[in-house]
């Protein structure tokens, strides 16, 4: 902020304080209570962070790839519902086929363990790390490949930087 603008704002606040406006009194009160001022700053930052997170997750849900991922899971051909399929929710179970476990037929439990592992590896290799970990904690989290996730974050960063430079901040 230039010296001219700073002096103009200081003069305006001084006049508003003399006239008894509520915003000037609040400004003065926060100046005399730095601990509360700092607490309000942290609370404000936290609330903005939560709002941005919810905006991001709602926007990313438009780019969700669950149906593509479910249709390519290794367990889609077997009559076993794995943890990954439960997380991705709503996968159609087709007719069962046999899977051999080292030259022998597997039991239902062994087949479930193998397919659970294969689905987990497939999900890990298909999704971005943030989507993979997000699905582990929140089943409604969007399932995105890395290219879409990285593209989205790059666009958001560039838009934020251009907005900040347009507002006159030194970035």
């Amino acid at each position: 902020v230039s010296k001219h603008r700073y002096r103009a704002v200081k003069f305006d606040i001084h006049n508003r304080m003399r006239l008894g406006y509520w915003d000037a009194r609040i400004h003065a009160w926060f100046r005399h209570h730095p601990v509360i001022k700092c607490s309000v700053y942290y609370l404000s930052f936290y609330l903005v962070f939560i709002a941005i997170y919810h905006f991001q997750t709602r926007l990313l849900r438009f780019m969700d790839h669950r149906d593509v991922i479910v249709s390519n899971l290794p367990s889609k051909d077997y009559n076993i519902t794995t943890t990954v399929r439960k997380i991705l929710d709503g996968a159609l179970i087709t007719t069962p086929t046999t899977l051999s476990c080292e030259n022998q037929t597997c039991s239902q439990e062994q087949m479930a363990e193998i397919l659970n592992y294969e689905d987990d590896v497939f999900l890990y290799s298909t999704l971005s790390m943030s989507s993979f970990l997000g699905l582990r904690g929140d089943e409604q989290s969007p399932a995105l490949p890395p290219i879409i996730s990285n593209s989205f974050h790059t666009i958001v960063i560039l838009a934020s930087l251009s907005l900040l430079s347009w507002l006159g901040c030194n970035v």
Side-chain angles (χ1 to χ4, degrees):
V1 178
S2 68
K3 288 184 180 183
H4 177 70
R5 284 188 180 177
Y6 175 76
R7 288 182 184 145
V9 169
K10 187 176 178 181
F11 181 72
D12 185 49
I13 292 290
H14 173 71
N15 286 343
R16 292 179 76 80
M17 183 68 116
R18 291 181 73 194
L19 294 173
Y21 287 123
W22 62 272
D23 60 335
R25 288 186 304 205
I26 291 173
H27 180 74
W29 187 84
F30 274 117
R31 199 173 347 154
H32 296 295
H33 298 90
V35 174
I36 295 174
K37 178 180 174 181
C38 186
S39 300
V40 169
Y41 282 161
Y42 283 125
L43 178 66
S44 302
F45 176 78
Y46 178 73
L47 292 175
V48 168
F49 177 79
I50 293 296
I52 290 172
Y53 174 77
H54 284 292
F55 167 73
Q56 174 188 356
T57 54
R58 294 206 192 288
L59 188 62
L60 285 174
R61 285 190 185 148
F62 289 115
M63 299 176 242
D64 201 2
H65 279 70
R66 285 176 194 264
D67 51 345
V68 174
I69 293 169
V70 167
S71 66
N72 292 325
L73 282 175
S75 67
K76 73 177 172 75
D77 297 331
Y78 302 97
N79 196 14
I80 295 175
T81 304
T82 61
T83 307
V84 172
R85 287 179 74 183
K86 287 178 185 176
I87 288 173
L88 292 174
D89 156 80
L92 296 174
I93 299 173
T94 59
T95 58
T97 59
T98 59
L99 177 71
S100 62
C101 292
E102 300 173 10
N103 300 329
Q104 60 183 346
T105 306
C106 294
S107 68
Q108 192 76 1
E109 293 84 22
Q110 290 171 331
M111 175 99 67
E113 286 181 29
I114 291 170
L115 290 174
N116 212 2
Y117 175 75
E118 287 180 2
D119 281 356
D120 219 17
V121 168
F122 176 78
L123 195 66
Y124 182 78
S125 66
T126 305
L127 297 179
S128 67
M129 185 56 71
S130 60
S131 290
F132 180 77
L133 295 176
L135 282 172
R136 294 296 181 199
D138 179 16
E139 294 177 358
Q140 300 302 318
S141 179
L144 301 172
I147 188 73
I148 292 177
S149 179
N150 291 340
S151 300
F152 173 78
H153 288 97
T154 302
I155 290 169
V156 168
I157 287 170
L158 292 175
S160 301
L161 289 175
S162 63
L163 179 67
L164 286 173
S165 65
W166 181 72
L167 290 174
C169 298
N170 294 330
V171 283

